[in-house]
Amino acid sequence: MRELNITTRRYFYGNTIDDFLSMEDAEIIGYLTNAHTLTYTSLRDLQAGAWKEEISIMKKSIKDYKGRGHIYFEYVIPRMGRRIDVVLLIDGVVFLLEFKAYNEAYTQADIAQVWDYALDLKNFHEESHNRSIIPILVATEAIEINYEFIPFDDKVFKPILTNQKNISSIIRESLLFCDNNNEDDLAWAISRYSPTPTIIEAATALYNNHSVEDISRSDASAENLTKTCGFISSVIERAKENSFKAICFVTGVPGAGKTLVGLNIATQQFEKDDVAVYLSGNYPLVQVLTESLARDRQRSLKEKGEKISIGNARSEVKAFIQMIHHYRDTCLEGTKVVDGDIVADETYYNTTKNKNSYIPVDHVAIFDEAQRAWTKEALANFMNRKKGYPNFPYSEPEYLISCLDRHEDWAVIVCLVGGGQEINTGEAGIKEWIESLNRKYKDWHVFISDRLHDAEYSAGGSLELLKEHKNVEFEPSLHLAVSMRSFRAENLAKFVHFLLDRDIDGARSLYRTLDKYPLVLTRSLSKAKRWLKEQSRGSERYGMIVSSQAERLKPLAIDVRFKPDVVHWFLDDASDVRSSFYLEDVATEFDVQGLELDWSCVVWDGDFRYSENGWTHYSFCGNKWQNINKEERKLFQKNAYRVLLTRARQGMIIVVPEGSNEDPTRNSKYYDSTYKYLKEVGIKEI
């Protein structure tokens, strides 16, 4: 008997078709049960019953394929946190079978699930790149329906729907449509899996105890996230062992995985019982991640036969992910200002008998998009208006450092720094973090990405002041140089950079490298919507995004003043009118920063217009466009389009409306120059 290692993390049971057919059902179930309990600790009777039926059905369906392949049960998809019921390899063709025992109907959710499995393997599983993949949804008690074999260009077939009776004939007929080969099945079973998860998928996987290695790419062209995480973890261990305080600055291009680094560090510390918190000032991001993790927590417990209310699930998640502002306000409790510093209010503690309240429970704090922390003026204004706390003495960076500095032994701050993404007034930039360290915290150990000198991070001359620190280390592994948001186009961020800098030759050259990333142009919104729907498969998410200044798209039924509920927009499926799939509500740069779509439609209004002398900037006030003259606001607007143009993982369509000469606020000339520029860069029109 040639038996594979059934206790491997990849699958619960695997074997040749011959040995599977000859093995007793009870013995196979024993292997599955042992592997399951190693992973999940408990087994429900319903699951054992489902395996028994699957084994019986598969033995009947593949009895004619001895010597032609292998079979695997419960093959893991780490990025999705799920397992494929059965993977069948015959003549090199990959069949994915998702069983819905006793189901009498084929639901859209189930169809999307098996399609997602196929697309995940095609995109991220190395040995599946060149193979035909045929997803099959088996609703065991459903009626027989006609099926057809529809392959796409990437050799992934449209899901085939069947009951338990037709599997054998489907396998036989589908093999006629595929290039049969003698690929190594064992190589497939242990193939390198190199995913690029969405931030929602990454957060879910890490929260469920997957490692960053499980859900990150491992190809040579991408920076090794594990190296960055490893360095930060070593800093945390050294700080803890030697009782010092440290701050790490991690830089990276848009989509390079900075947030993934932060989430990974936070989950690692939770596992070590060192309380850590992931903090963000990005309210939509926190909302979406919190709700996604809470829903997944509720779903996973339900699958194990346990229950938790969605409210309790959300409470659990909020200990892990918080808004910076809420964290800041908690640390404000029981303090007072003395000689320009915030100190403990002894009267408060004598009353509450809780002196430890002044010190944060967390020893490790990860601040995402640290460059967006508030200036002293912005924070003082907010504290006075909203909190009744006059004369607040700190900027947000200095205050957050002061909170962790309250620990008597050790603390570590991890600042995740994005370049060229400042999109709002009152943001202090990374310069304020550096200057805060220089003013009051010269005993802190400072570990800095060697790319923080770059102009896009706006650290300015403040880095020179760090020479006064005795413990400063520049570390190359703290920079993530390659965008991972789009696994189809690593050069997308660089292309957008050239495009916005009006470097036509550079942009044109990079556009030619985006051969696997559809990026097209149109003047018709209806045509763009059709294109999105044609491109998307399975549960791949698409949606429309626009600038927050795009006030004159209302004739196209786009109103930026209406704010969608980002939780429904990003998380709900195509059956929900509030979701992005309906293409009715649009998100702006404030809604999508830090998040992503698979396919996006960017609708370009007259607020940001191309001219040979440079971009011209406008805001719509009253009944007309007005020039934006302040350089800071111009930068914010340019960065808004940078955010919009780097949100899509798999492809993007840009709509530049034709305008209307009958409407002076939508004159054609406001749009034509931008459209011609995008065409000159080489963007294909559909």
Side-chain angles (χ1 to χ4, degrees):
M1 180 181 294
R2 186 188 184 198
E3 184 180 319
L4 304 184
N5 177 10
I6 54 82
T7 60
T8 179
R9 179 169 51 87
R10 285 289 181 86
Y11 49 86
F12 285 176
Y13 170 88
N15 223 326
T16 64
I17 290 176
D18 301 52
D19 290 341
F20 166 71
L21 292 172
S22 64
M23 186 178 288
E24 294 292 332
D25 292 5
E27 188 177 1
I28 297 171
I29 290 175
Y31 281 125
L32 289 167
T33 301
N34 288 338
H36 184 281
T37 53
L38 285 173
T39 305
Y40 297 110
T41 71
S42 64
L43 178 67
R44 298 172 64 195
D45 292 339
L46 186 63
Q47 178 62 72
W51 283 336
K52 184 175 181 179
E53 183 170 15
E54 290 167 17
I55 292 167
S56 176
I57 292 171
M58 291 309 301
K59 282 190 172 183
K60 294 175 185 176
S61 301
I62 63 174
K63 61 185 179 181
D64 296 330
Y65 296 97
K66 290 183 178 180
R68 295 176 63 178
H70 285 74
I71 188 168
Y72 304 93
F73 282 76
E74 302 290 340
Y75 194 92
V76 71
I77 303 289
R79 184 180 73 97
M80 300 171 67
R82 307 293 290 271
R83 289 182 179 271
I84 306 171
D85 287 339
V86 176
V87 177
L88 184 64
L89 303 181
I90 297 179
D91 298 344
V93 176
V94 182
F95 295 90
L96 309 179
L97 294 97
E98 182 64 20
F99 285 85
K100 300 301 176 182
Y102 313 114
N103 280 20
E104 297 179 352
Y106 308 103
T107 69
Q108 288 300 316
D110 293 339
I111 296 169
Q113 180 182 356
V114 70
W115 206 338
D116 288 346
Y117 289 158
L119 294 170
D120 192 275
L121 289 180
K122 173 59 66 173
N123 291 325
F124 308 125
H125 186 264
E126 195 170 88
E127 284 289 324
S128 294
H129 290 340
N130 298 316
R131 296 187 186 224
S132 295
I133 300 179
I134 302 176
I136 303 173
L137 174 62
V138 185
T140 59
E141 305 303 320
I143 61 172
E144 292 186 23
I145 62 173
N146 293 327
Y147 54 83
E148 56 183 333
F149 301 97
I150 303 176
F152 288 79
D153 291 341
D154 57 3
K155 297 184 179 181
V156 174
F157 282 64
K158 184 177 180 180
I160 297 170
L161 315 182
T162 186
N163 56 26
Q164 60 181 297
K165 299 176 182 179
N166 290 330
I167 297 174
S168 180
S169 59
I170 288 171
I171 294 172
R172 182 180 65 255
E173 293 172 34
S174 60
L175 287 172
L176 300 175
F177 290 84
C178 304
D179 297 326
N180 296 350
N181 55 57
N182 295 315
E183 299 279 358
D184 186 348
D185 291 352
L186 296 181
W188 185 93
I190 60 172
S191 170
R192 184 168 64 175
Y193 179 73
S194 303
T196 54
T198 67
I199 189 58
I200 295 171
E201 292 166 340
T204 301
L206 292 170
Y207 194 60
N208 288 317
N209 298 319
H210 282 284
S211 68
V212 72
E213 291 92 338
D214 290 337
I215 59 172
S216 63
R217 285 164 45 176
S218 54
D219 55 298
S221 64
E223 287 293 318
N224 191 346
L225 288 174
T226 58
K227 189 174 181 180
T228 303
C229 293
F231 181 82
I232 296 172
S233 295
S234 72
V235 170
I236 293 172
E237 289 303 312
R238 286 155 53 192
K240 184 177 181 180
E241 291 174 6
N242 300 307
S243 294
F244 65 80
K245 292 159 188 166
I247 186 167
C248 299
F249 292 95
V250 180
T251 58
V253 300
K258 297 182 295 295
T259 300
L260 179 55
V261 167
L263 291 169
N264 186 59
I265 294 298
T267 52
Q268 281 183 344
Q269 295 310 120
F270 260 82
E271 292 171 13
K272 297 175 183 177
D273 295 325
D274 291 330
V275 181
V277 63
Y278 168 88
L279 301 169
S280 174
N282 185 336
Y283 184 60
L285 175 66
V286 172
Q287 274 190 307
V288 170
L289 288 183
T290 299
E291 184 65 19
S292 176
L293 294 181
R295 290 183 185 184
D296 183 75
R297 174 73 169 154
Q298 188 181 49
R299 178 190 62 79
S300 61
L301 287 178
K302 183 179 180 181
E303 290 177 352
K304 297 176 183 177
E306 303 174 32
K307 290 184 179 181
I308 186 174
S309 70
I310 191 65
N312 287 338
R314 290 179 185 130
S315 296
E316 287 184 11
V317 173
K318 286 177 182 176
F320 170 61
I321 297 176
Q322 295 180 31
M323 283 292 295
I324 282 181
H325 311 321
H326 297 161
Y327 180 83
R328 179 192 65 205
D329 295 346
T330 300
C331 291
L332 195 63
E333 186 177 344
T335 64
K336 62 182 179 180
V337 178
V338 176
D339 297 329
D341 281 320
I342 293 178
V343 298
D345 186 339
E346 295 84 357
T347 303
Y348 174 85
Y349 290 117
N350 287 336
T351 302
T352 62
K353 297 181 180 179
N354 188 7
K355 295 183 179 180
N356 289 331
S357 294
Y358 174 71
I359 302 173
V361 66
D362 319 285
H363 277 266
V364 180
I366 300 105
F367 298 112
D368 203 357
E369 299 294 349
Q371 76 281 358
R372 299 185 66 186
W374 290 359
T375 62
K376 180 178 179 180
E377 293 74 20
L379 186 55
N381 180 276
F382 175 85
M383 286 296 191
N384 188 40
R385 288 185 299 106
K386 299 293 186 178
K387 302 296 179 182
Y389 204 112
N391 304 315
F392 196 80
Y394 300 150
S395 65
E396 195 164 46
E398 185 170 345
Y399 177 61
L400 293 172
I401 296 172
S402 77
C403 293
L404 273 296
D405 194 61
R406 297 172 188 175
H407 286 286
E408 294 183 0
D409 46 4
W410 69 281
V412 175
I413 295 174
V414 180
C415 290
L416 308 173
V417 185
Q421 296 193 60
E422 296 83 358
I423 57 175
N424 212 345
T425 56
E427 295 179 359
I430 206 62
K431 179 180 179 181
E432 179 58 29
W433 287 92
I434 303 294
E435 293 184 351
S436 296
L437 289 166
N438 286 329
R439 279 193 294 270
K440 293 185 179 178
Y441 305 103
K442 294 184 179 181
D443 58 328
W444 277 56
H445 293 232
V446 183
F447 300 90
I448 300 183
S449 158
D450 62 348
R451 296 291 294 276
L452 203 65
H453 289 286
D454 293 0
E456 61 189 294
Y457 299 109
S458 305
S462 57
L463 280 175
E464 295 298 315
L465 299 177
L466 284 177
K467 292 179 179 178
E468 301 176 20
H469 272 69
K470 58 182 179 181
N471 295 302
V472 177
E473 183 177 330
F474 287 88
E475 172 55 43
S477 68
L478 291 178
H479 179 70
L480 299 166
V482 179
S483 177
M484 292 175 55
R485 174 168 293 127
S486 174
F487 53 88
R488 288 183 171 180
E490 293 173 356
N491 288 327
L492 179 64
K494 190 178 291 186
F495 164 77
V496 171
H497 176 78
F498 284 143
L499 179 76
L500 295 178
D501 280 357
R502 299 184 304 114
D503 183 338
I504 294 177
D505 291 338
R508 186 184 292 130
S509 176
L510 278 174
Y511 180 76
R512 297 191 193 105
T513 71
L514 305 180
D515 54 310
K516 295 181 180 179
Y517 183 94
L519 199 174
V520 295
L521 178 67
T522 184
R523 308 208 77 172
S524 167
L525 184 59
S526 60
K527 187 179 290 187
K529 289 181 177 181
R530 276 198 310 274
W531 185 87
L532 284 178
K533 293 175 181 178
E534 290 168 357
Q535 302 302 313
S536 174
R537 292 178 288 178
S539 62
E540 291 175 345
R541 183 167 293 276
Y542 54 82
M544 287 194 300
I545 52 180
V546 302
S547 158
S548 58
Q549 297 294 318
E551 294 272 4
R552 291 306 299 141
L553 297 177
K554 284 197 287 185
L556 302 179
I558 295 175
D559 188 352
V560 295
R561 293 177 298 179
F562 176 79
K563 302 299 181 186
D565 184 318
V566 291
V567 167
H568 294 297
W569 200 86
F570 271 108
L571 296 182
D572 291 344
D573 62 27
S575 67
D576 195 313
V577 69
R578 299 165 297 181
S579 75
S580 66
F581 291 111
Y582 256 74
L583 299 176
E584 291 183 0
D585 299 335
V586 296
T588 71
E589 68 272 20
F590 298 111
D591 302 314
V592 301
Q593 189 175 40
L595 292 161
E596 58 252 302
L597 299 160
D598 289 297
W599 303 89
S600 73
C601 171
V602 178
V603 189
W604 202 305
D605 200 10
D607 58 323
F608 190 58
R609 308 173 196 169
Y610 177 80
S611 76
E612 293 184 357
N613 297 321
W615 293 102
T616 54
H617 307 257
Y618 297 88
S619 63
F620 194 78
C621 300
N623 66 346
K624 63 182 179 180
W625 292 104
Q626 294 185 352
N627 287 306
I628 294 176
N629 296 313
K630 195 173 181 180
E631 291 303 318
E632 183 184 47
R633 288 188 61 199
K634 289 181 180 180
L635 176 63
F636 291 157
Q637 191 173 45
K638 182 178 179 180
N639 286 342
Y641 274 86
R642 189 189 313 278
V643 169
L644 297 175
L645 293 168
T646 55
R647 290 309 96 187
R649 289 159 46 84
Q650 300 204 49
M652 167 173 51
I653 186 166
I654 300 173
V655 179
V656 182
E658 292 185 339
S660 171
N661 290 333
E662 296 178 358
D663 180 351
T665 68
R666 299 177 58 245
N667 194 292
S668 298
K669 66 181 181 181
Y670 297 164
Y671 303 92
D672 290 347
S673 58
T674 302
Y675 167 75
K676 290 175 182 176
Y677 170 63
L678 296 177
K679 283 202 70 175
E680 187 177 0
V681 164
I683 300 178
K684 178 184 176 182
E685 184 178 21
I686 63 166

